[in-house]
Amino acid sequence: MTRSFAPSRRAFLQSSLAVAALTGLGAGRARAEGEVLKVAGIYTVPVEQQWVSRIHVAAMAAKERGEIDYTYSENTANTDYPRVMREYAESGYKLIVGEIFGAEQEAREVAAEYPEVAFLMGSSFAPDAALANLSVFDNYIQDASYLSGIIAGAMTKTGNIGMVGGFPIPEVNRLMHAFMAGVKETRPDATFQVSFIGSWFDPPKAKETAYAMIEAGADLLYAERFGVSDAAKEKGVLAIGNVIDTQADYPETVVASALWNFQPTLDAAIAAVKAGAFTAADYGQYSFMKAGGCALAPHGTFEGKIPQAALDKVAAQEAAIKSGAFTVAIDDSEPKSS
C-alpha cells in the first residue's frame, strides 16, 4: 500500500529538520557507554489491552535488564497525544514509543520539534525521510495468524467462522486475511462472518457481536478483541486468540493463539539510539516469525485434541516460513464476510 503526506505538511517537516540541522541537533548522537536510556511509552488504551501489552511487557523486560529507565502513560486520548509527547520530550526522555494511528499528523509535527528525541511509533503510514527521528512499526504477525488458521480449519465442525475486529485498518486486516488463508488450507469450504466494533477496547460490544455470530451458526470465533472469547466460553464454541496467550483464562475455549513478541522490535530501536544510528525506518520486519517477532502459543489443554494432520501441516509451513521457502501474503484490504 502506497501512502503519502500533504505537500504543506512535508514542507513543514523539512523546514523544522533543516533548522535542527543548523543548530547541531539530531537523534543520531551516540549515547555515552553504560548510560541508561530514558524511555517513555504513550498508550491510548490500558496497558492490559492485547496490542499495547506486548509493547509494555518488552519495555519492562528491558528495564529489568537494566538497559532502560522506563515510564508510561495509558488511556491517553488522541487529542491529548501531542501534549504528552511534548512533556516527555521536554523531560529528557530520549526514546518515546507508542501508537499514533489516530493522531498521525499532529504526532509527526511534534516529533519534528524534538530532533534529539527518537520516536518509535505504531503507524499505518510509512517512515518519512524528511523526519529522520521517527520510525514506525506494526504487528506484522501474519505468519502466526496463518498458522492459527490452519488449526482453526481443522477444529471447526460447521465451517462457519466468526471474526470480530476493532477497526478495518491494515494492522487488523492483514491478520484476518492471513488467518482466513490458513483456515482454507484445512477447510476449503469455510465461510466467514466479519465484523468490526469501532473500538480498540470495548469488551461488552465485542461480546455482543460474537453472540450474534454464534446465533448465525459460527462454531469457532477469531478473537481479535477482548470479549469475544467470553462469548465463546459462555456459548460452548471454540476461539482463536490474537497477540497474547489467553489459554489459561479460557482452557476449554481457546484452541490456539498467534503471539506477538515486541522484544526484537524494541531491542533494535534501543541499540540504534544508543549507537547514535536511529533514523527513519520501518521496524515491521522485526515482527516476522523469522525474526522471532511472532509465534504460536502452546496448545495447553488442547494438546492431543487437534488433528495430527493439521499439526503436521503447521510444522511444515512454519519451517518453510522460517527458511524463506514460503511467504504469508500481506493483504491490508478490508476483509469481507463470505
Side-chain angles (χ1 to χ4, degrees):
M1 181 179 293
T2 301
R3 306 178 177 94
S4 62
F5 301 104
S8 59
R9 185 161 142 245
R10 182 178 290 275
F12 168 79
L13 295 175
Q14 289 175 329
S15 63
S16 298
L17 291 171
V19 170
L22 289 173
T23 56
L25 302 178
R29 188 175 64 186
R31 314 300 300 165
E33 185 175 353
E35 181 179 355
V36 176
L37 185 69
K38 291 186 68 176
V39 177
I42 309 175
Y43 311 121
T44 61
V45 293
V47 292
E48 292 83 9
Q49 189 258 11
Q50 301 108 298
W51 199 87
V52 161
S53 72
R54 307 313 296 156
I55 303 171
H56 182 65
V57 166
M60 289 299 293
K63 178 181 179 180
E64 290 170 6
R65 294 196 304 265
E67 296 178 6
I68 65 173
D69 177 12
Y70 169 66
T71 191
Y72 65 95
S73 296
E74 57 185 342
N75 293 315
T76 303
N78 287 322
T79 53
D80 206 28
Y81 212 93
R83 178 190 65 79
V84 179
M85 289 175 68
R86 287 191 177 94
E87 287 185 356
Y88 280 128
E90 294 284 351
S91 299
Y93 287 87
K94 294 306 180 183
L95 174 60
I96 297 176
V97 61
E99 13 101 30
I100 56 173
F101 301 106
E104 288 279 353
Q105 179 172 333
E106 297 84 355
R108 289 172 184 258
E109 290 172 356
V110 171
E113 297 171 15
Y114 299 94
E116 278 195 315
V117 180
F119 294 86
L120 178 66
M121 294 292 174
S123 170
S124 295
F125 290 85
D128 190 337
L131 189 57
N133 64 323
L134 188 145
S135 287
V136 299
F137 68 87
D138 212 339
N139 61 326
Y140 281 90
I141 64 169
Q142 65 281 344
D143 298 331
S145 295
Y146 165 78
L147 296 180
S148 72
I150 293 175
I151 293 174
M155 295 297 287
T156 177
K157 291 183 172 64
T158 66
N160 186 331
I161 295 176
M163 304 181 70
V164 181
F167 293 92
I169 62 174
E171 27 288 318
V172 176
N173 298 344
R174 73 174 65 103
L175 305 188
M176 284 189 164
H177 278 297
F179 171 79
M180 294 162 80
V183 169
K184 292 290 188 177
E185 294 279 5
T186 47
R187 188 65 187 254
D189 65 340
T191 58
F192 302 91
Q193 301 178 55
V194 181
S195 185
F196 299 92
I197 64 172
S199 172
W200 290 131
F201 195 73
D202 191 343
K205 188 172 183 179
K207 189 175 182 179
E208 288 301 319
T209 303
Y211 280 150
M213 290 180 172
I214 296 169
E215 287 295 319
D219 73 336
L220 187 145
L221 301 174
Y222 176 75
E224 199 272 328
R225 293 291 100 196
F226 274 156
V228 177
S229 293
D230 293 296
K233 179 181 178 180
E234 290 180 16
K235 296 297 184 179
V237 302
L238 301 177
I240 299 293
N242 180 59
V243 176
I244 62 175
D245 184 4
T246 58
Q247 224 275 325
D249 298 319
Y250 307 95
E252 303 306 318
T253 302
V254 175
V255 184
S257 296
L259 305 184
W260 184 27
N261 177 20
F262 192 70
Q263 202 69 60
T265 304
L266 184 60
D267 287 351
I270 291 173
V273 174
K274 289 187 174 183
F278 190 91
T279 188
D282 187 344
Y283 278 68
Q285 61 180 314
Y286 295 104
S287 290
F288 285 24
M289 183 168 282
K290 61 184 179 182
C294 67
L296 273 184
H299 300 310
T301 57
F302 281 88
E303 196 73 47
K305 299 178 183 179
I306 301 170
Q308 189 59 46
L311 296 177
D312 292 343
K313 181 72 172 178
V314 167
Q317 293 299 82
E318 180 175 352
I321 290 169
K322 290 180 177 179
S323 71
F326 176 74
T327 300
V328 176
I330 297 175
D331 184 349
D332 288 347
S333 65
E334 182 177 345
K336 305 292 184 181
S337 298
S338 58

